[in-house]
Amino acid sequence: MSSGKILPRRQAVPVLYTRGTHYEVGFDMGRTFGSMIKNFLILSKPLNETYLPLYQSPKGRQIYNETLESVKDSFPQYVRELEGVADGAEVEFHKLFLLHLDEILPQALKHQPRNKNQPTGCSTIIVNQKNCRLLGHTEDALTETLNHYYFVVAHIVSDKPQGKYNVKEEHFMSLCYAGHLPGYTMNQNHHGLVFSINTISAELLRSGKTPRHFLTRALLATSNVDDAFRVLKDAGVGAADACSVNFTFLADPRQMCFNVEVAPSPERKNESYLSIKEIPLGQHNYHVNQFDRIRQDQANELMIDSSISRMQTFGTYKPPMSEQDVRHMLGDVSGGVYCVWRENGSCDEVVKTIAVGIFDLNARTMSLYSDNPSETEPHCRLPLLFK
């Protein structure tokens, strides 16, 4: 029974192993986590207070339809996957697709005020030293998302090539928010790709383009650096909204890590606007929820204030050289209202850190924490899928 109650932090990380077609894998996610997904749809304030009412308007429906058609043209297999989630969980597809549209609908309709309850934070630290190569990521989300996430390890085999990049096989692990497609938070695949996403709230959004959630879902299928850039560039369409992608491939002979800021094209070109930063051996990098290099207006005051605060906190530390350093930094509770590790003991805090992942690129493991990593041991340490 879906009660719509917010529970205190659970010390649990559910993991689903599933194999099949895109639809079957989606259906398994939906069926397995159906009660969690139903509960999340009841609790989600952005969905119920903003997206659904706008979807009921003719202009809102038009934006929804043109964006859905655009995604179907590029990535019909991921629309089928999401239909599988909806069918498996016995919920309406349009509610799930609205979650993937995120702020595109209110922004395209110039709906004021823009949703103040946006997730205001996730922080990524990359350490790229010869004897210590790490990608650490905190996943912060609206309090209603606490306990509403799960890991999916999926092996998808299609009988014929799928979508604009003709993908036949995918094998990946991803942390998913309830009812959402894999690929948006912290992720890895069997080609040795490891990546995390930082949401960025751009002022300029485009309907009829590819929502970031579908770009990052397509990223899960990539097998090398050029592939990854091609997916993010999205030639012929381009990003509808903004994010930052932190990634590396374990087999890359250069052992290069990357941060890519992805934004809608300011010139209305049919491709994403990208800013690529290389993080070579001997370097480190921090990225939070703001543009560091792209000069575009940003919409969410809280997210920007929080980002500035978290970057200042990281700036007080010596450059991280070990997993212990990264755990301390990602568990930091200084910085007042906008600390790196968000908890503050209250159930009514708008945003909480729901999970932390630390990928050890040398040991090829991923450590998962559902509580503060500077004070607790990981729940589990899982091997990466890369062979």
Side-chain angles (χ1 to χ4, degrees), residues 28 84 150 170-171 178 248 275 369:
D28 283 341
Y150 39 84
E170 298 193 39
H171 191 186
T248 190
S275 168
Y369 301 79

Side-chain angles (χ1 to χ4, degrees), residues 308-353:
I308 292 167
S309 169
R310 282 175 283 140
M311 286 301 269
Q312 282 172 343
T313 297
F314 289 157
T316 64
Y317 283 85
K318 294 201 303 289
M321 302 292 277
S322 69
E323 183 168 348
Q324 205 52 46
D325 291 348
V326 173
R327 284 172 65 173
H328 278 302
M329 292 172 78
L330 292 179
D332 189 293
V333 291
S334 69
V337 188
Y338 298 120
C339 39
V340 178
W341 174 267
R342 308 282 299 265
E343 177 69 75
N344 294 9
S346 65
C347 265
D348 55 1
E349 176 154 14
V350 178
V351 173
K352 282 192 164 58
T353 303

Side-chain angles (χ1 to χ4, degrees), residues 32-105:
T32 307
F33 300 114
S35 67
M36 193 192 288
I37 293 168
K38 286 193 185 91
N39 214 30
F40 184 65
L41 293 180
I42 294 170
L43 286 172
S44 172
K45 285 197 181 103
L47 176 68
N48 294 304
E49 293 173 11
T50 307
Y51 309 157
L52 279 170
L54 293 176
Y55 169 77
Q56 302 303 341
S57 71
K59 186 83 178 85
R61 188 66 60 91
Q62 182 197 331
I63 289 161
Y64 173 98
N65 286 336
E66 70 187 22
T67 309
L68 179 57
E69 286 313 307
S70 169
V71 174
K72 274 185 176 166
D73 283 347
S74 298
F75 305 116
Q77 73 272 35
Y78 301 141
V79 175
R80 280 200 304 280
E81 196 169 292
L82 194 60
E83 286 168 346
V85 177
D87 291 350
E90 298 177 356
V91 299
E92 293 156 294
F93 172 82
H94 72 268
K95 290 186 177 176
L96 299 186
F97 193 73
L98 285 168
L99 292 174
H100 290 74
L101 282 183
D102 213 334
E103 291 294 292
I104 295 166
L105 199 52

Side-chain angles (χ1 to χ4, degrees), residues 224-236:
N224 58 55
V225 172
D226 291 341
D227 250 8
F229 289 143
R230 186 181 309 122
V231 163
L232 296 175
K233 191 73 159 170
D234 199 36

Side-chain angles (χ1 to χ4, degrees), residues 127-133 255 281-283 321 362:
V127 178
N128 199 8
Q129 300 294 340
K130 200 161 186 52
N131 57 357
C132 179
R133 303 187 68 223
Q255 295 191 296
L281 270 180
Q283 300 290 317
M321 302 292 277
N362 287 342

Side-chain angles (χ1 to χ4, degrees), residues 259-324:
N259 171 266
V260 186
E261 292 181 351
V262 181
S265 164
E267 286 97 46
R268 293 196 172 276
K269 287 187 185 156
N270 291 328
E271 61 181 36
S272 312
Y273 185 72
L274 303 183
S275 168
I276 298 165
K277 177 181 180 179
E278 294 193 338
I279 302 127
L281 270 180
Q283 300 290 317
H284 68 283
N285 195 63
Y286 313 132
H287 207 288
V288 291
N289 306 97
Q290 61 182 0
F291 289 127
D292 284 343
R293 302 179 301 278
I294 289 179
R295 297 280 158 255
Q296 279 191 24
D297 288 342
Q298 296 171 88
N300 185 334
E301 291 289 316
L302 296 175
M303 197 124 100
I304 295 164
D305 292 346
S306 166
S307 293
I308 292 167
S309 169
R310 282 175 283 140
M311 286 301 269
Q312 282 172 343
T313 297
F314 289 157
T316 64
Y317 283 85
K318 294 201 303 289
M321 302 292 277
S322 69
E323 183 168 348
Q324 205 52 46

Side-chain angles (χ1 to χ4, degrees), residues 12-194:
V13 181
V15 184
L16 169 69
Y17 287 81
T18 169
R19 177 167 52 203
T21 63
H22 285 278
Y23 180 83
E24 287 164 349
V25 161
F27 190 90
D28 283 341
M29 286 191 263
R31 195 182 72 85
T32 307
F33 300 114
S35 67
M36 193 192 288
I37 293 168
K38 286 193 185 91
N39 214 30
F40 184 65
L41 293 180
I42 294 170
L43 286 172
S44 172
K45 285 197 181 103
L47 176 68
N48 294 304
E49 293 173 11
T50 307
Y51 309 157
L52 279 170
L54 293 176
Y55 169 77
Q56 302 303 341
S57 71
K59 186 83 178 85
R61 188 66 60 91
Q62 182 197 331
I63 289 161
Y64 173 98
N65 286 336
E66 70 187 22
T67 309
L68 179 57
E69 286 313 307
S70 169
V71 174
K72 274 185 176 166
D73 283 347
S74 298
F75 305 116
Q77 73 272 35
Y78 301 141
V79 175
R80 280 200 304 280
E81 196 169 292
L82 194 60
E83 286 168 346
V85 177
D87 291 350
E90 298 177 356
V91 299
E92 293 156 294
F93 172 82
H94 72 268
K95 290 186 177 176
L96 299 186
F97 193 73
L98 285 168
L99 292 174
H100 290 74
L101 282 183
D102 213 334
E103 291 294 292
I104 295 166
L105 199 52
Q107 177 60 351
L109 291 174
K110 294 288 178 274
H111 174 78
Q112 296 300 340
R114 286 264 303 268
N115 185 4
K116 283 286 175 278
N117 278 341
Q118 280 180 290
T120 45
C122 40
S123 312
T124 299
I125 297 177
I126 288 175
V127 178
N128 199 8
Q129 300 294 340
K130 200 161 186 52
N131 57 357
C132 179
R133 303 187 68 223
L134 303 169
L135 188 154
H137 181 78
T138 62
E139 195 53 50
D140 296 0
L142 298 177
T143 292
E144 54 254 39
T145 313
L146 187 68
N147 311 317
H148 288 85
Y149 70 95
Y150 39 84
F151 272 91
V152 173
V153 182
H155 191 180
I156 300 171
V157 182
S158 309
D159 48 5
K160 50 184 192 293
Q162 302 289 313
K164 73 195 272 186
Y165 303 114
N166 298 314
V167 177
K168 277 193 79 165
E169 184 182 13
E170 298 193 39
H171 191 186
F172 59 77
M173 175 177 190
S174 175
L175 184 149
C176 305
Y177 290 148
H180 292 66
L181 287 176
Y184 197 67
T185 54
M186 46 183 116
N187 317 270
Q188 49 127 339
N189 76 10
H190 68 303
H191 298 297
L193 168 65
V194 169

